[in-house]
Every structure is written in C-alpha cells, then in structure tokens.
Amino acid sequence: MQTKHTNSLALRQTAMGDPSVDLPLFPPRVGAFRRDADPSLPWPLELDFDYSALDKSLFGAPRSGPSLGLGAWAPLMPPLTPQTNLGEGETPFFEMARLADWAGTDRPVFVKDEGRNPTWSHKDRLNRCTVSAAQLVGAPGVIVASSGNHGASASAYAAAAGLPCIVLASSTAPLAMQRFVAAYGAAALAVPSDRRWDLMARLQAKTDFHPVSNLTPQAHTGHPFAIEGYKSIAYEIFRDLGGTAPGSVFVPTGYGELLYGVWKGFAELRALGLTDRVPQLYSCESTVYGPLHRALRDDQPVASVPSPNGSTRALSIATPVGGLRGRRAILESGGKALAMDDEAIEAARAKLARSGLWVEFSAAAGLAGLRQQAARARLPEGAAVCLATASGMKDVDGAGEGLPETDGSFEDATRVLRENYGLEI
C-alpha cells in the first residue's frame, strides 16, 4: 500500500477489477500489463483511493470563484499540477424536452455538452491527469497517437505545462482538426492509422517522452490515470441532478475509456453511500467498426475489426479495436452496446443543431443511441443523459457547402430565402 500524494487520496495502481494487484502510484504503468489469471490479454490499470478519508461534502453545492478545473475534485483525482489547470470540466448540463419527444421517450432527456471544455472536447479531462503525471515524473515531453481530439487536447495541456509534445495524428482527420492539433506548438505529423502505434512506441522508447495514449494495439488499455479524469462527468451529473443518479447515460464510444470513467464515477458514488444505483450505460458506436458491440454480441472479452464495414464520418469513434474497460461498464451497469449508421447519427446531429447545439459528428452518437434504444424498449426510471463529446467546430470540413448567395437586392434575397429555406416574405 502506497502513501498519499499531495491533496489526492490516490494510493496505488491496480488492475481493473483485481485489487490483488498492488503497484506504486508512481511512475504510471503504461503499455501492457498481464495478469497471471489471463496472460493472453493486456489488462488496463486504474487507481485505488483511500475512500475512508473522503469528506463527502465534496459533492455539495456548485463551485464558485476562480476555476480549479478538475482540482475541484482533487481528493478523488490523481495528483494534479497547478500549471495544467485550463479550467476543464463544469460543462453545461441541461434538460431538452424537444429531444425527448424526438427520441420517443417519456423520460426527461438531458445533454452534457463536453464541447465547452478548453479544447472543445471531453479529452481535456483525461489530459489534465496524464500531463500532470508527465510533469510529476519529470518527463522531458509527452507523446500521443490520436485521430484528432486527444491530440489537440494533449498539445494544449503540454503547452500549459511547458513540455514539448509529439502528436501522431491520423492522415484522414479533417484539416480543421489537424490545424487545431498544430496550433498549440506541438510537433504534429499525419501518419497512416495502421502505423501510428508502432511508430509511437519506437519514438517513446527513443525520447523517453511520457505516452498519454494507448501503447497496446491488440486491446486498448490507455494511461492508468486517464479514466480518473472522466469520473468527474459522473460527479457533475450527480450533483446537477440534485444528488441523484440518472436512469441511463448514452456515451459516444470508441475505445471505451470515457464509458468506463463515467461508470466508475457512479460506482464510487454508490460505494460511498451517496446513491443507491448506477445508471445503465449505453455505448454508442458506429456500425463501421463497433468493436465493443461485436465483443458483447460474440461473448468475447475484446474484439478487433481488421477491415471496416464501409466508411463513416464518425471518425472520433471509428476504432478498430476495443478493450476490457468498455465491456465491464456495460455488464456491471446492466446497459447495452449499441451500433448505428451515419444516417442515424446525422439525424441526431441535425436535431441537436436545431435545438441550439452544434456538435461534432461523432458527438451526436449519444442522442442517436438514445433514440435507437427508446424504439426497442422503455428506458429505465429516471433521467436519460446524452453526452455530447465535442464541438461541431472540430469537423468543419464536413459541414456542407457554402451559404446560398444573393446579389444583395431585396428582390433577390427574398427569392433565395423562398427557394432555399421555404420562407415567404
């Protein structure tokens, strides 16, 4: 058992669901960890905390004053450095009755808009934790392989920490996303997706830069501190619902880290006696890959999808391999793994936009999943929450054609409004 570090109650690293694994809190164990019980799988690590020392008033009223970012939840976070505080978290959470009607459910529907984070995605919660870890171990820099959101976020947090950052981005990412990644001064490269992990491992070994993304291509494990940042989403939802857990949460899902982090946060709240339930978790994947959906369908621990089933605009969740975390979140919460095509995601994205929220294409998968599940079965009692993971500004290359033009005269303007928008003036 390890001693506490600063104001964090984190004690040690342990294997997911296996408290017999007892590793020091530092350095973070990245790459493959294999349990004797199942040596064929790389096992994800996470943190164990001294929950008995927690002051439960932490989950009281909303914060006020200068933003602490995830530091507001410091006791249940990994050790965080002040330099990496960019004010992440505390994202808007609101009820949208028109979405409930559209989705076909009588449950109240809420949206948690993670696009309001500093780099416009949920990945900022992860990188506050991982880049803090890089600082605390004295790493000379950080390195990440990312299709977009993760790379942009890692670049920003590395810049805040004064650390150089190498980003191996997907060569298929929208140009807007590639520019976002490079804007913070990172050394960013566009790399074919099937070569990113091997290249990252070789560069990391040569530079000793701290890896803040996955290093195990056969099954996703990720950084052991990463999912702890995602727990804060559960804490905020619980607090904003007046100290209760929702009935269901719909999560756009790639590798499953966000899904698992949300589950773990609610599981902690239940273990602390603050709620009597964990909401049902629904992973919302693209049908083009959908490794978690496939793993659960085939009753396998993880699934790898060597060739995609077509193409998709949902690039942020188009992952060919899954991990053990997502499977556990679904099974432990009594939820389901859902998969949907681009048409369903586009319909959800359009509905969100006409409700005042413009989200990244992948980020609309949560609402698409809610509509799919509501058509199949009545949702659990309580609120239904959709996570919207990133801003629509992240994929403006795919936003459509330019605006219809007019010569500026009143007559021509009214013609264009009528022909393009059906407005009679």
Side-chain angles (χ1 to χ4, degrees), residues 340-359:
M340 57 223 64
D341 59 23
D342 276 18
E343 183 179 1
I345 298 174
E346 176 55 46
R349 189 190 199 211
K351 186 61 182 179
L352 284 164
R354 284 161 178 76
S355 302
L357 293 177
W358 187 33
V359 304

Side-chain angles (χ1 to χ4, degrees), residues 150-291:
H150 194 170
S153 178
S155 299
Y157 281 81
L163 293 174
C165 179
I166 297 174
V167 180
L168 306 181
S170 170
S171 57
T172 60
L175 183 58
M177 186 73 82
Q178 295 184 37
R179 288 175 175 167
F180 208 127
V181 168
Y184 298 104
L189 301 174
V191 181
S193 295
D194 60 351
R195 304 195 68 179
R196 283 187 295 152
W197 277 337
D198 179 65
L199 180 59
M200 179 180 166
R202 295 184 66 181
L203 287 170
Q204 189 275 328
K206 185 69 173 178
T207 62
D208 204 28
F209 277 23
H210 194 72
V212 296
S213 65
N214 188 52
L215 281 173
T216 55
Q218 68 272 45
H220 193 276
T221 55
H223 193 290
F225 287 20
I227 55 96
E228 308 300 335
Y230 289 147
K231 296 187 310 188
S232 58
I233 293 175
Y235 302 162
E236 291 172 20
I237 292 172
F238 170 80
R239 185 200 60 207
D240 293 344
L241 284 176
T244 188
S248 55
V249 183
F250 293 81
V251 184
T253 299
Y255 295 119
E257 288 194 327
L258 174 61
L259 182 75
Y260 184 77
V262 172
W263 173 81
K264 185 176 181 182
F266 281 114
E268 288 179 333
L269 291 167
R270 183 177 61 182
L272 289 165
L274 295 170
T275 181
D276 61 357
R277 69 176 177 188
V278 171
Q280 290 184 7
L281 272 290
Y282 294 86
S283 62
C284 303
E285 297 176 281
S286 166
T287 53
V288 168
Y289 283 104

Side-chain angles (χ1 to χ4, degrees), residues 304-388:
S304 178
V305 185
S307 59
N309 178 29
S311 62
T312 179
R313 291 171 58 197
L315 299 177
S316 292
I317 57 174
T319 56
V321 65
L324 297 173
R325 285 183 173 128
R327 178 184 175 86
R328 186 181 186 205
I330 295 295
L331 295 179
E332 292 281 350
S333 72
K336 294 184 183 299
L338 308 176
M340 57 223 64
D341 59 23
D342 276 18
E343 183 179 1
I345 298 174
E346 176 55 46
R349 189 190 199 211
K351 186 61 182 179
L352 284 164
R354 284 161 178 76
S355 302
L357 293 177
W358 187 33
V359 304
E360 183 188 28
F361 190 87
S362 301
L367 179 59
L370 181 144
R371 192 184 199 195
Q372 181 186 106
Q373 182 60 25
R376 295 174 175 175
R378 194 152 190 254
L379 299 180
E381 292 289 338
V385 177
C386 298
L387 299 189

